[in-house]
Amino acid sequence: TQSYFWSDFTAAKPRVPQLDGPRGQGTVAMATHLQVGRRGTYFCDPWRVGIVQSDGIVKTLAGYRHKPTPSFYSGPQELELVGDWGAIPSERRGFHELWGMAWDPRTLGTSTTAPPIEGEQPHVLGPTAFVADTQNNRICKLVFSPTSRDAPPKVTEFIVGISDPWDCVCDEGGTLYVSERLSHRIVAYNGTTGALIRVVVSGPNMSGINGSRQPFRRNPLVTVQAQTCVGPEGLYLQDGWLYFGSRAMEPVSY
């Protein structure tokens, strides 16, 4: 099979290779999010959060990875779940179709007085990331160690019961914005407590999701584009403006 098959992309467990290691061994397939950081390029695919380090090494930070080289497509997949998932019931562990990821800027500061670790100043707080776990209808929170790169992040369910969350961004003050595709709205949450702050924008139910998890319009395009917000997906925060994309609407709006 080919790696562009939507049935693979939207499956609960990966069949495409999810391997850690150096160039020639580590793999990144079906990436949904890329973000350049100080240590390399962070990425999401439907089942994990990871980093491609500046030396080319691929490392899974949280989620599923293959232990050995994966078997053939139809064979058994020997997977392990990376991260500290102890706070989540066993039946809800693991990601299912990740799209968006956002760091909490409040947690990224480093100490100017503590001794360096591996040549870099340690963080004051544990760096925290949020991910939109779309098919599990939740935002998960990943809290990393402030002093160790080897310690697995603690994964918790931060916001649950939302409808098809697609992306998330966090501003400097700790407000977390989430696009909820099947609720046709973008919502602001408290990045510390998860409490609802306000609905930023919302619109009518003029799009849905088909069996391949792709959006379709319930009304003509011109009617959908006349609305404020239908099926919001990707988010981007820049210069005080929140931009969002929608395949159902087709433009980028703000």
Side-chain angles (χ1 to χ4, degrees):
T1 188
Q2 301 297 321
S3 61
Y4 56 74
F5 277 17
W6 281 103
S7 59
D8 293 347
F9 183 92
T10 60
K13 301 286 181 66
R15 287 177 170 173
V16 294
Q18 310 277 285
L19 292 171
D20 286 0
R23 291 188 178 96
Q25 176 180 323
T27 59
V28 179
M30 295 183 169
T32 56
H33 176 87
L34 297 172
Q35 184 173 340
V36 177
R38 187 174 59 183
R39 294 173 46 217
T41 300
Y42 294 92
F43 69 89
C44 295
D45 60 39
W47 311 278
R48 65 174 174 167
V49 177
I51 184 173
V52 182
Q53 298 176 171
S54 55
D55 57 7
I57 292 176
V58 177
K59 182 179 180 180
T60 300
L61 301 175
Y64 286 112
R65 70 179 172 197
H66 283 99
K67 296 174 73 174
T69 302
S71 69
F72 287 111
Y73 172 78
S74 59
Q77 307 294 314
E78 191 174 353
L79 296 165
E80 60 183 346
L81 190 58
V82 178
D84 177 359
W85 293 77
I88 297 177
S90 57
E91 67 273 12
R92 291 181 60 80
R93 293 175 186 172
F95 300 126
H96 191 180
E97 198 180 334
L98 288 184
W99 280 96
M101 170 187 171
W103 292 101
D104 185 339
R106 300 173 300 170
T107 67
L108 301 181
T110 57
S111 172
T112 58
T113 57
I117 297 175
E118 298 182 27
E120 295 185 357
Q121 296 302 124
H123 289 276
V124 178
L125 303 173
T128 298
F130 304 99
V131 292
D133 192 5
T134 305
Q135 288 206 53
N136 284 322
N137 296 306
R138 65 187 180 184
I139 299 296
C140 285
K141 187 176 186 177
L142 283 62
V143 180
F144 293 83
S145 167
T147 58
S148 172
R149 293 181 180 175
D150 297 322
K154 182 177 181 179
V155 185
T156 57
E157 294 183 305
F158 187 60
I159 303 169
V160 298
I162 49 182
S163 188
D164 215 46
W166 187 268
D167 203 357
C168 55
V169 293
C170 190
D171 67 17
E172 296 289 337
T175 299
L176 180 69
Y177 299 92
V178 179
S179 57
E180 301 175 12
R181 187 165 63 159
L182 288 181
S183 294
H184 307 284
R185 66 181 193 170
I186 299 171
V187 181
Y189 293 96
N190 185 303
T192 301
T193 66
L196 173 68
I197 297 175
R198 65 188 177 98
V199 176
V200 177
V201 64
S202 64
N205 182 12
M206 289 190 176
S207 70
I209 304 300
N210 64 21
S212 297
R213 298 275 303 150
Q214 299 182 50
F216 64 88
R217 286 185 286 270
R218 305 183 193 277
N219 302 82
L221 177 59
V222 64
T223 304
V224 173
Q225 289 184 334
Q227 309 306 312
T228 306
C229 180
V230 176
E233 295 169 327
L235 298 176
Y236 196 80
L237 187 63
Q238 179 173 297
D239 298 331
W241 292 94
L242 181 64
Y243 298 84
F244 73 93
S246 165
R247 187 172 177 184
M249 297 180 74
E250 294 194 358
V252 172
S253 307
Y254 64 93

